[in-house]
C-alpha cells in the first residue's frame, strides 16, 4: 500500500456486502446498508490493539472514506474500532 497511516490511525477495507439474504431474496443496491466490518489494511505506529489483517467491527459513521488504486477504503482512529473478530 502506498499510504502509511500516522499515529493511531487505521486504514480499513470494508467487507463485501451480501447480494442475497439467507432466505434467497436478492437485495437491490438501493436497499443495502454499508457493512460495519472490514479488514485492517494498514495500522499506524501507535496502534496497540489492531494489526494488519485483523477483521474489525467499527462505528457506523467512523472515519473518512477515500479511494486508492480502485479500492474504497476508510481511514479512522483506533478508538473508532469497537472490536476485533477472533
Amino acid at each position: 500500500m502506498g499510504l502509511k497511516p500516522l499515529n493511531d490511525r487505521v486504514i480499513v477495507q470494508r467487507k463485501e456486502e451480501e447480494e442475497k439474504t439467507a432466505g434467497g431474496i436478492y437485495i437491490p443496491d438501493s436497499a443495502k446498508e454499508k457493512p460495519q466490518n472490514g479488514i485492517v489494511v494498514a495500522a499506524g505506529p501507535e496502534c496497540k490493539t489492531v494489526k494488519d489483517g485483523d477483521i474489525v467491527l467499527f462505528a457506523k459513521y467512523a472515519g473518512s472514506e477515500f479511494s486508492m488504486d480502485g479500492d474504497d477504503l476508510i481511514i479512522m482512529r483506533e478508538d473508532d474500532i469497537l472490536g476485533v473478530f477472533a
Side-chain angles (χ1 to χ4, degrees), residues 71-85:
D71 294 326
D72 292 329
L73 304 168
I74 306 167
I75 189 163
M76 64 183 75
R77 290 191 175 277
E78 188 177 26
D79 291 344
D80 291 333
I81 295 174
L82 305 174
V84 179
F85 289 98

Side-chain angles (χ1 to χ4, degrees), residues 2-33:
L3 180 64
K4 179 181 172 186
L6 300 175
N7 303 323
D8 68 337
R9 303 278 184 181
V10 177
I11 299 175
V12 175
Q13 184 174 19
R14 283 189 200 266
K15 287 189 122 185
E16 292 296 318
E17 303 164 13
E18 293 294 323
E19 292 292 322
K20 65 179 181 175
T21 64
I25 299 172
Y26 285 92
I27 304 170
D29 289 336
S30 60
K32 290 182 186 175
E33 288 190 22

Side-chain angles (χ1 to χ4, degrees), residues 36-70:
Q36 290 178 255
N37 58 359
I39 300 171
V40 175
V41 178
E46 294 179 16
C47 290
K48 295 175 177 66
T49 55
V50 296
K51 60 186 180 308
D52 296 3
D54 283 350
I55 299 173
V56 295
L57 177 70
F58 50 85
K60 188 168 192 155
Y61 299 106
S64 300
E65 296 182 4
F66 68 99
S67 293
M68 183 177 208
D69 299 331

